[in-house]
Amino acid sequence: MQNSSQFLQQEDPNATKKWAVNLLKECAKAIFEKDSVKIHHVLWMLNELASPYGDCEQKLAFYFLQALFYKLTESGERSYKTLVSAAEKSQSFDSARKVILKFQEVSPWTTFGHVASNSAILEAFEGKSKLHIIDISNTYCTQWPTLLESLATRNDDTPHLKLSVVVTDGARGSIMKEIGYRMQKFARLMGVPFEFKAISFFSRLSDLDRDKFGVKEDEAVAVNCIGAFRKLGVEERSEFIQMVRSLQPRVVTVVEEEADFSSKEDEFFKCFEECLKFYSMFFEMLEESFAPTSNERLMLERECSRSIIKLLGCGRDDNESEIREKGIQWCNRLLEAFSPACFSEDTIDDVKALLKRYQAGWSLLPASGDASGLYMTWKQEPVVWASAWKL
């Protein structure tokens, strides 16, 4: 068997360039096949080469090695809870806001969904005077200042906007209070009549029901779901979509990362490969977008590491693991309750203009076949899917 230095001196340059992916696949396959000799050998090699402060390959090796080690030692649940608790204790509004805004500055990963969703929402609200946006996302309301600016410059009378924000984990208490205060201050500056409501005190997203939102008959409703559906258990998703339908929205906007982690628990290697493919692209994108010493990049990578550990290192719980699905899978679920609302040419032009502000490598790909919506691609690979839906 090779040692770590021999592995990196292979004649095949592609194997050397992607050494982390190759070694990690070897290790996952050995775990799946219960080959203990190979498991220990490849783990040793990965441990020699991995580092959370190295290049993209070293970081990828480090974080996936953690998850594989926790799986083998059955210590994933305990370790994951410790990591999440430490992250929540150290998080403040300013630190979270700094990471989000810096990420939006260097990459369209999140702003793509904001621009596409805002355009669809504004079109659905055309001519309406009482607006109610139900925001089920993890964006800390960074999506809404540009929408408020657009409402303030409407040709007709400025409408009244109610924003109901579903408080997900990581944005509780003082953080959401500060966000609400800043949103109200900005709305006053824009001259938009505004009401802010934080919806919390529920243990799971699936606990939400129509009554919690206080929707009134004279309100035009939009439901904005960015990274929200993957927080639902796989078996809860269809029922939650029916709950959204019961709100009688004029538009539902859905944005999800393009990955399929929905393979069965006994298909560990298949799930591992999909997870590795997705995070390889994400870590490569971070490396090319941020400076090497960026604290914001490090925080984003650590957030990824917790997701990787939860998915691969803990006992599989389809109601807890944020099981991602691809756009076509979400389309099949959403078609049970809604019809596709095609993005307008103006929306597509807005998204294209956004992507031009960033480094080369980003492009737009319309969905085809049975899928609906738009894909944002990174080096020709679809990475984020955005869509709009109507009754």
Side-chain angles (χ1 to χ4, degrees):
M1 286 189 177
Q2 296 170 309
N3 61 32
S4 56
S5 60
Q6 289 172 331
F7 184 86
L8 294 179
Q9 291 170 7
Q10 296 180 86
E11 291 182 5
D12 183 356
N14 291 324
T16 303
K17 186 178 178 182
K18 295 291 184 181
W19 63 263
V21 171
N22 295 327
L23 274 178
L24 287 164
K25 282 184 179 180
E26 274 193 53
C27 191
K29 189 175 182 181
I31 291 172
F32 182 70
E33 295 173 349
K34 297 182 171 59
D35 185 341
S36 58
V37 174
K38 192 171 185 179
I39 290 170
H40 287 102
H41 178 71
V42 181
L43 283 177
W44 177 84
M45 290 177 68
L46 283 166
N47 192 52
E48 287 288 301
L49 296 166
S51 169
Y53 305 106
D55 61 22
C56 182
E57 289 295 295
Q58 288 174 299
K59 290 183 176 188
L60 201 64
F62 180 84
Y63 291 123
F64 274 84
L65 174 61
Q66 271 191 324
L68 291 173
F69 177 79
Y70 291 146
K71 178 176 178 61
L72 286 167
T73 57
E74 299 182 351
S75 58
E77 292 287 351
R78 182 178 70 253
S79 301
Y80 174 77
K81 288 176 182 177
T82 301
L83 290 168
V84 169
S85 178
E88 289 178 349
K89 286 177 182 177
S90 63
Q91 188 180 51
S92 66
F93 172 76
D94 285 336
S95 65
R97 179 174 175 272
K98 188 177 180 182
V99 171
I100 290 170
L101 293 180
K102 185 63 179 178
F103 191 26
Q104 292 175 356
E105 177 188 324
V106 302
S107 167
W109 194 276
T110 57
T111 49
F112 159 69
H114 294 185
V115 170
S117 297
N118 280 358
S119 294
I121 290 168
L122 287 167
E123 288 173 10
F125 280 167
E126 192 69 38
K128 301 298 178 181
S129 59
K130 290 186 178 180
L131 318 178
H132 188 172
I133 296 175
I134 296 170
D135 184 21
I136 310 173
S137 66
N138 55 356
T139 62
Y140 290 82
C141 291
T142 55
Q143 177 178 348
W144 303 122
T146 53
L147 184 133
L148 282 168
E149 289 178 3
S150 297
L151 291 177
T153 56
R154 258 181 33 170
N155 293 329
D156 52 359
D157 292 338
T158 303
H160 178 279
L161 174 64
K162 181 197 294 183
L163 179 62
S164 296
V165 178
V166 174
V167 182
T168 55
D169 289 341
R172 299 189 182 280
S174 60
I175 291 179
M176 190 49 63
K177 185 176 181 181
E178 179 68 22
I179 289 171
Y181 169 75
R182 293 192 181 211
M183 287 297 300
Q184 289 168 333
K185 185 178 178 181
F186 187 77
R188 284 197 299 271
L189 180 66
M190 291 291 103
V192 177
F194 182 74
E195 180 183 346
F196 182 89
K197 179 183 179 183
I199 299 172
S200 56
F201 306 109
F202 58 92
S203 58
R204 301 170 60 84
L205 201 55
S206 57
D207 292 338
L208 288 171
D209 58 47
R210 189 182 191 283
D211 296 338
K212 286 186 169 66
F213 299 106
V215 173
K216 298 177 181 177
E217 287 188 10
D218 60 348
E219 293 176 338
V221 176
V223 182
N224 183 65
C225 304
I226 295 187
F229 284 174
R230 66 173 178 260
K231 295 182 182 298
L232 291 156
V234 173
E235 300 301 321
E236 300 167 344
R237 292 174 180 179
S238 294
E239 185 178 349
F240 188 83
I241 289 169
Q242 292 298 330
M243 186 281 291
V244 172
R245 178 183 169 84
S246 74
L247 297 167
Q248 295 294 295
R250 293 185 64 83
V251 67
V252 178
T253 49
V254 180
V255 180
E256 288 288 344
E257 293 168 340
E258 181 69 359
D260 180 11
F261 299 165
S262 62
S263 54
K264 296 177 182 177
E265 186 174 6
D266 60 359
E267 298 176 311
F268 171 75
F269 187 67
K270 181 180 177 182
C271 182
F272 182 89
E273 280 192 306
E274 184 70 21
C275 187
L276 184 58
K277 177 185 174 183
F278 175 77
Y279 282 108
S280 294
M281 287 190 293
F282 190 77
F283 275 59
E284 180 185 279
M285 179 273 298
L286 291 180
E287 184 172 58
E288 295 189 21
S289 301
F290 284 93
T293 56
S294 167
N295 286 329
E296 291 83 13
R297 174 186 169 188
L298 185 60
M299 290 179 72
L300 286 165
E301 288 168 346
R302 286 176 176 171
E303 184 180 335
C304 289
S305 78
R306 294 191 290 274
S307 297
I308 293 166
I309 289 167
K310 184 62 179 171
L311 184 68
L312 300 176
C314 300
R316 178 72 172 264
D317 182 345
D318 286 352
N319 291 330
E320 295 287 347
S321 300
E322 293 199 16
I323 305 298
R324 288 165 171 78
E325 294 184 297
K326 290 189 173 182
I328 183 63
Q329 294 166 290
W330 293 120
C331 284
N332 291 336
R333 293 183 184 280
L334 286 156
L335 283 169
E336 296 174 4
F338 300 101
S339 299
C342 296
F343 288 115
S344 67
E345 289 299 320
D346 287 343
T347 299
I348 293 171
D349 288 343
D350 286 345
V351 173
K352 287 180 177 178
L354 170 79
L355 298 185
K356 287 179 181 178
R357 288 165 36 193
Y358 296 94
Q359 63 174 315
W362 300 101
S363 58
L364 194 62
L365 179 68
S368 59
D370 294 332
S372 176
L374 295 170
Y375 293 97
M376 182 177 67
T377 67
W378 164 250
K379 297 184 178 180
Q380 283 73 58
E381 285 287 343
V383 290
V384 183
W385 171 74
S387 63
W389 302 82
K390 61 186 179 181
L391 291 173

